[in-house]
Amino acid sequence: MISIRVVYDAGADQSVPLPSYETLGAAGADLRANLPDRGSVALKPGARALVPTGLRIEIPQGYEVQIRPRSGLALKHGITLPNTPGTIDSDYRGTLGVIVLNAGQEAFEIVHGDRIAQMVVAPVLQATFDLVDDLSDTTRGSGGFGSTGQN
C-alpha cells in the first residue's frame, strides 16, 4: 500500500472527510465537494462546473491519481465527468477540482460534502518514442473504429 499525503486548502472545511474507500474491495476512494460558504452548485441539464474539493495531494513518483465518475450518480442523475478519467500527475501540488457535467434531463444540485467522484491510484510507466521507417504487420493492420466486429 502506498501513502498519498493530503492537506486541506486554506479556508476549506476540514470537517469534510478525506477521500475514503467505502468497502474493503473498492478500487476508488470517494472524493467530496468542499464548497465555499458550505453552499451548493446547481447544474442545469447540459451544464458543467468545476467543483472544488478543498484538497491538495502529494502523489509518489511513479504513480498517478485518476478521477472517475461515480456510477450511481451517472445512472440515477446523468452526472458524469467529461474528461474521464482525469489524471493528476505526481508533480502537481495545486487544488483538486472535479469537472462535473450534467448529462441528465433534470437539474441537479451538488451539496457541500456530497461524494462527487472517485479517485483511483495507479502506477505510471513512461515510454521512449522512437522514430522508425515502418511498423510491424498485424492481422488487424490499420482497421479501427469497429473494424473487429459488431459485438
Coordinates of all heavy atoms in Angstrom, one line a residue, residues 66-117:
Q66 N -6.3 8.9 -10.8 CA -7.3 9.0 -11.9 C -8.6 9.4 -11.2 O -9.0 8.8 -10.2 CB -7.5 7.8 -12.6 CG -6.3 7.3 -13.4 CD -6.4 5.9 -14.0 OE1 -7.5 5.3 -13.9 NE2 -5.4 5.4 -14.6
I67 N -9.2 10.5 -11.7 CA -10.5 10.9 -11.2 C -11.6 10.4 -12.1 O -11.6 10.6 -13.3 CB -10.6 12.4 -11.1 CG1 -9.4 13.0 -10.4 CG2 -11.9 12.9 -10.5 CD1 -9.3 12.6 -8.9
R68 N -12.6 9.6 -11.6 CA -13.6 8.9 -12.4 C -15.0 9.2 -11.8 O -15.1 9.6 -10.6 CB -13.4 7.4 -12.3 CG -12.0 7.0 -12.9 CD -11.9 5.5 -12.8 NE -10.5 5.1 -13.2 CZ -10.2 3.8 -13.3 NH1 -11.0 2.9 -12.9 NH2 -9.0 3.5 -13.8
P69 N -16.0 9.1 -12.6 CA -17.4 9.3 -12.2 C -17.8 8.2 -11.2 O -17.3 7.1 -11.1 CB -18.2 9.2 -13.4 CG -17.3 9.1 -14.6 CD -16.0 8.7 -14.1
R70 N -18.8 8.6 -10.4 CA -19.5 7.6 -9.5 C -20.6 7.0 -10.3 O -21.5 7.7 -10.8 CB -19.9 8.3 -8.2 CG -18.8 8.8 -7.4 CD -19.2 9.3 -6.0 NE -19.6 8.1 -5.3 CZ -20.8 8.0 -4.7 NH1 -21.7 8.9 -4.8 NH2 -21.1 6.9 -4.1
S71 N -20.7 5.7 -10.4 CA -21.7 5.0 -11.2 C -23.1 5.3 -10.8 O -24.0 5.5 -11.6 CB -21.5 3.5 -11.2 OG -21.5 3.0 -9.9
G72 N -23.4 5.5 -9.5 CA -24.7 5.7 -9.0 C -25.2 7.1 -9.5 O -26.4 7.3 -9.9
L73 N -24.4 8.1 -9.4 CA -24.7 9.4 -9.9 C -25.0 9.4 -11.4 O -25.9 10.1 -12.0 CB -23.6 10.5 -9.6 CG -23.5 10.9 -8.1 CD1 -22.3 11.9 -8.0 CD2 -24.8 11.5 -7.6
A74 N -24.1 8.7 -12.2 CA -24.3 8.6 -13.6 C -25.6 7.9 -14.0 O -26.4 8.4 -14.8 CB -23.1 7.8 -14.2
L75 N -25.9 6.8 -13.3 CA -27.2 6.1 -13.7 C -28.4 6.8 -13.2 O -29.4 7.0 -14.0 CB -27.1 4.7 -13.0 CG -28.4 3.8 -13.2 CD1 -28.6 3.5 -14.6 CD2 -28.4 2.6 -12.3
K76 N -28.4 7.3 -12.0 CA -29.7 7.9 -11.5 C -29.9 9.3 -11.9 O -31.0 9.8 -12.1 CB -29.6 7.9 -9.9 CG -29.6 6.5 -9.4 CD -29.4 6.5 -7.9 CE -29.2 5.1 -7.3 NZ -28.9 5.1 -5.9
H77 N -28.8 10.1 -12.2 CA -29.0 11.5 -12.5 C -28.3 12.0 -13.8 O -28.4 13.2 -14.1 CB -28.5 12.4 -11.3 CG -29.1 12.0 -10.0 ND1 -30.4 12.3 -9.7 CD2 -28.7 11.3 -9.0 CE1 -30.7 11.9 -8.5 NE2 -29.7 11.2 -8.0
G78 N -27.5 11.1 -14.4 CA -26.7 11.6 -15.6 C -25.5 12.4 -15.3 O -25.0 13.1 -16.1
I79 N -25.1 12.4 -14.0 CA -23.9 13.2 -13.6 C -22.6 12.4 -13.9 O -22.4 11.3 -13.5 CB -24.0 13.5 -12.1 CG1 -25.3 14.3 -11.8 CG2 -22.7 14.3 -11.7 CD1 -25.4 15.6 -12.6
T80 N -21.8 13.0 -14.7 CA -20.5 12.4 -15.2 C -19.4 13.4 -15.2 O -19.6 14.6 -14.9 CB -20.7 11.7 -16.5 OG1 -19.6 10.9 -16.8 CG2 -21.0 12.7 -17.6
L81 N -18.2 12.9 -15.6 CA -17.1 13.8 -15.7 C -16.6 13.8 -17.1 O -16.3 12.7 -17.7 CB -15.9 13.2 -14.8 CG -16.3 12.9 -13.3 CD1 -15.1 12.5 -12.6 CD2 -17.0 14.1 -12.7
P82 N -16.6 14.9 -17.8 CA -16.4 15.0 -19.2 C -15.0 14.6 -19.6 O -14.7 14.2 -20.8 CB -16.7 16.4 -19.6 CG -16.6 17.2 -18.4 CD -16.9 16.3 -17.3
N83 N -14.0 14.7 -18.8 CA -12.6 14.3 -19.1 C -12.2 13.0 -18.4 O -11.1 12.9 -17.9 CB -11.7 15.4 -18.8 CG -11.6 15.7 -17.3 OD1 -12.6 15.6 -16.6 ND2 -10.4 16.0 -16.7
T84 N -13.1 12.0 -18.4 CA -12.9 10.8 -17.7 C -11.9 9.9 -18.5 O -12.0 9.7 -19.7 CB -14.2 10.1 -17.5 OG1 -15.0 10.9 -16.7 CG2 -14.0 8.7 -16.9
P85 N -10.9 9.3 -17.8 CA -10.5 9.7 -16.4 C -9.6 10.9 -16.4 O -8.8 11.0 -17.3 CB -9.7 8.4 -15.9 CG -9.1 7.9 -17.1 CD -10.1 8.1 -18.3
G86 N -9.8 11.7 -15.5 CA -8.9 12.9 -15.3 C -7.7 12.4 -14.6 O -7.7 11.5 -13.7
T87 N -6.5 12.9 -15.0 CA -5.3 12.4 -14.5 C -4.7 13.5 -13.6 O -4.5 14.7 -14.0 CB -4.3 12.1 -15.6 OG1 -4.8 10.9 -16.3 CG2 -2.9 11.7 -15.1
I88 N -4.3 13.1 -12.4 CA -3.5 14.0 -11.5 C -2.1 13.5 -11.5 O -1.8 12.3 -11.1 CB -4.1 14.0 -10.1 CG1 -5.6 14.3 -10.1 CG2 -3.3 15.1 -9.3 CD1 -6.0 15.6 -10.7
D89 N -1.1 14.2 -12.0 CA 0.3 13.8 -12.1 C 1.0 13.9 -10.7 O 0.6 14.7 -9.9 CB 1.0 14.7 -13.1 CG 0.5 14.5 -14.5 OD1 0.3 13.4 -15.0 OD2 0.2 15.6 -15.1
S90 N 2.0 13.1 -10.6 CA 2.7 13.1 -9.3 C 3.4 14.4 -8.9 O 3.7 14.7 -7.8 CB 3.8 12.0 -9.3 OG 4.8 12.2 -10.2
D91 N 3.7 15.3 -9.9 CA 4.3 16.6 -9.6 C 3.3 17.7 -9.5 O 3.8 18.9 -9.3 CB 5.4 16.9 -10.7 CG 4.9 16.9 -12.1 OD1 3.7 16.6 -12.3 OD2 5.7 17.3 -13.0
Y92 N 2.0 17.5 -9.5 CA 1.0 18.5 -9.3 C 0.8 18.7 -7.8 O 0.6 17.8 -7.1 CB -0.3 18.2 -10.0 CG -1.4 19.2 -9.9 CD1 -1.3 20.4 -10.4 CD2 -2.5 18.9 -9.1 CE1 -2.3 21.4 -10.3 CE2 -3.5 19.9 -8.9 CZ -3.4 21.1 -9.5 OH -4.4 22.0 -9.4
R93 N 0.8 20.0 -7.4 CA 0.6 20.3 -6.0 C -0.6 21.3 -5.8 O -0.8 21.8 -4.7 CB 1.8 20.9 -5.3 CG 3.0 19.9 -5.3 CD 2.7 18.7 -4.4 NE 3.8 17.8 -4.2 CZ 4.1 16.8 -5.0 NH1 3.3 16.5 -6.0 NH2 5.1 16.0 -4.8
G94 N -1.3 21.6 -6.8 CA -2.4 22.6 -6.7 C -3.7 21.9 -6.2 O -3.8 20.7 -5.8
T95 N -4.7 22.8 -6.1 CA -6.0 22.3 -5.6 C -6.7 21.3 -6.5 O -6.6 21.5 -7.7 CB -6.9 23.5 -5.4 OG1 -6.3 24.5 -4.5 CG2 -8.3 23.1 -4.9
L96 N -7.3 20.3 -5.9 CA -8.0 19.3 -6.7 C -9.4 19.9 -7.0 O -10.1 20.2 -6.0 CB -8.2 18.0 -6.0 CG -6.9 17.2 -5.8 CD1 -7.3 15.8 -5.2 CD2 -6.2 16.9 -7.1
G97 N -9.8 19.9 -8.2 CA -11.1 20.3 -8.6 C -11.6 19.2 -9.5 O -10.9 18.6 -10.2
V98 N -12.9 19.0 -9.5 CA -13.6 18.0 -10.4 C -14.5 18.6 -11.3 O -15.4 19.4 -10.9 CB -14.3 17.0 -9.5 CG1 -15.0 15.9 -10.4 CG2 -13.4 16.3 -8.5
I99 N -14.3 18.4 -12.6 CA -15.2 18.9 -13.7 C -16.4 18.0 -13.8 O -16.2 16.8 -14.1 CB -14.5 19.0 -15.0 CG1 -13.2 19.9 -14.9 CG2 -15.4 19.6 -16.1 CD1 -12.3 19.8 -16.1
V100 N -17.5 18.5 -13.4 CA -18.7 17.7 -13.3 C -19.7 18.2 -14.4 O -19.9 19.4 -14.6 CB -19.4 17.8 -11.9 CG1 -20.7 17.0 -11.9 CG2 -18.5 17.4 -10.8
L101 N -20.3 17.2 -15.1 CA -21.2 17.5 -16.2 C -22.6 16.9 -15.9 O -22.6 15.7 -15.6 CB -20.7 16.9 -17.5 CG -21.6 16.9 -18.7 CD1 -21.9 18.3 -19.2 CD2 -21.0 16.1 -19.9
N102 N -23.6 17.6 -16.1 CA -25.0 17.1 -16.0 C -25.5 16.7 -17.4 O -25.9 17.5 -18.2 CB -25.9 18.1 -15.4 CG -27.3 17.6 -15.2 OD1 -27.6 16.5 -15.6 ND2 -28.2 18.3 -14.5
A103 N -25.3 15.4 -17.7 CA -25.8 14.8 -19.0 C -27.2 14.3 -18.8 O -27.8 13.7 -19.7 CB -24.9 13.7 -19.4
G104 N -27.9 14.6 -17.7 CA -29.2 14.2 -17.5 C -30.3 15.1 -18.0 O -29.9 16.1 -18.7
Q105 N -31.5 14.8 -17.7 CA -32.6 15.6 -18.3 C -33.2 16.6 -17.3 O -34.0 17.4 -17.6 CB -33.8 14.6 -18.7 CG -33.4 13.6 -19.7 CD -32.9 14.2 -21.0 OE1 -33.6 15.1 -21.5 NE2 -31.8 13.8 -21.5
E106 N -32.7 16.5 -16.0 CA -33.2 17.4 -15.0 C -32.1 18.1 -14.3 O -30.9 17.6 -14.3 CB -34.0 16.6 -14.0 CG -35.3 16.0 -14.6 CD -36.0 15.2 -13.5 OE1 -35.8 15.3 -12.3 OE2 -36.9 14.4 -14.0
A107 N -32.4 19.3 -13.7 CA -31.3 20.0 -12.9 C -30.9 19.1 -11.7 O -31.6 18.3 -11.2 CB -31.9 21.3 -12.4
F108 N -29.6 19.3 -11.3 CA -29.0 18.5 -10.2 C -28.3 19.4 -9.3 O -27.6 20.3 -9.8 CB -28.1 17.4 -10.8 CG -27.6 16.5 -9.7 CD1 -28.3 15.5 -9.2 CD2 -26.3 16.7 -9.2 CE1 -27.8 14.7 -8.2 CE2 -25.8 15.9 -8.3 CZ -26.5 14.9 -7.7
E109 N -28.4 19.3 -8.0 CA -27.7 20.1 -7.1 C -26.6 19.3 -6.3 O -26.9 18.2 -5.8 CB -28.7 20.7 -6.1 CG -28.1 21.6 -5.1 CD -29.1 22.2 -4.1 OE1 -30.1 21.6 -3.8 OE2 -28.8 23.3 -3.6
I110 N -25.4 19.8 -6.4 CA -24.3 19.3 -5.6 C -24.2 20.1 -4.3 O -24.1 21.3 -4.3 CB -23.0 19.3 -6.4 CG1 -23.1 18.5 -7.7 CG2 -21.8 18.9 -5.5 CD1 -21.9 18.7 -8.6
V111 N -24.3 19.4 -3.2 CA -24.3 20.0 -1.9 C -23.0 19.8 -1.2 O -22.3 18.7 -1.4 CB -25.5 19.4 -1.0 CG1 -25.5 20.0 0.4 CG2 -26.8 19.6 -1.7
H112 N -22.6 20.8 -0.5 CA -21.3 20.7 0.3 C -21.2 19.4 1.0 O -22.1 18.9 1.7 CB -21.3 21.9 1.3 CG -20.1 21.9 2.1 ND1 -18.9 22.3 1.7 CD2 -19.9 21.6 3.5 CE1 -18.0 22.3 2.6 NE2 -18.6 21.9 3.7
G113 N -20.1 18.7 0.8 CA -19.9 17.4 1.4 C -20.3 16.2 0.6 O -20.0 15.0 1.0
D114 N -21.1 16.4 -0.5 CA -21.5 15.3 -1.3 C -20.3 14.5 -1.9 O -19.3 15.1 -2.3 CB -22.4 15.8 -2.5 CG -23.8 16.0 -2.1 OD1 -24.2 15.8 -0.9 OD2 -24.6 16.5 -2.9
R115 N -20.5 13.2 -2.1 CA -19.5 12.4 -2.8 C -19.7 12.7 -4.3 O -20.8 12.4 -4.8 CB -19.6 10.9 -2.5 CG -19.3 10.7 -1.0 CD -19.4 9.2 -0.7 NE -20.8 8.8 -0.8 CZ -21.2 7.5 -0.9 NH1 -20.3 6.5 -0.8 NH2 -22.4 7.2 -1.0
I116 N -18.7 13.2 -5.0 CA -18.9 13.6 -6.4 C -18.1 12.8 -7.4 O -18.4 12.9 -8.6 CB -18.6 15.1 -6.5 CG1 -17.1 15.4 -6.1 CG2 -19.6 16.0 -5.8 CD1 -16.6 16.8 -6.4
A117 N -17.1 12.1 -7.0 CA -16.2 11.4 -7.9 C -15.5 10.4 -7.1 O -15.6 10.3 -5.9 CB -15.3 12.3 -8.6

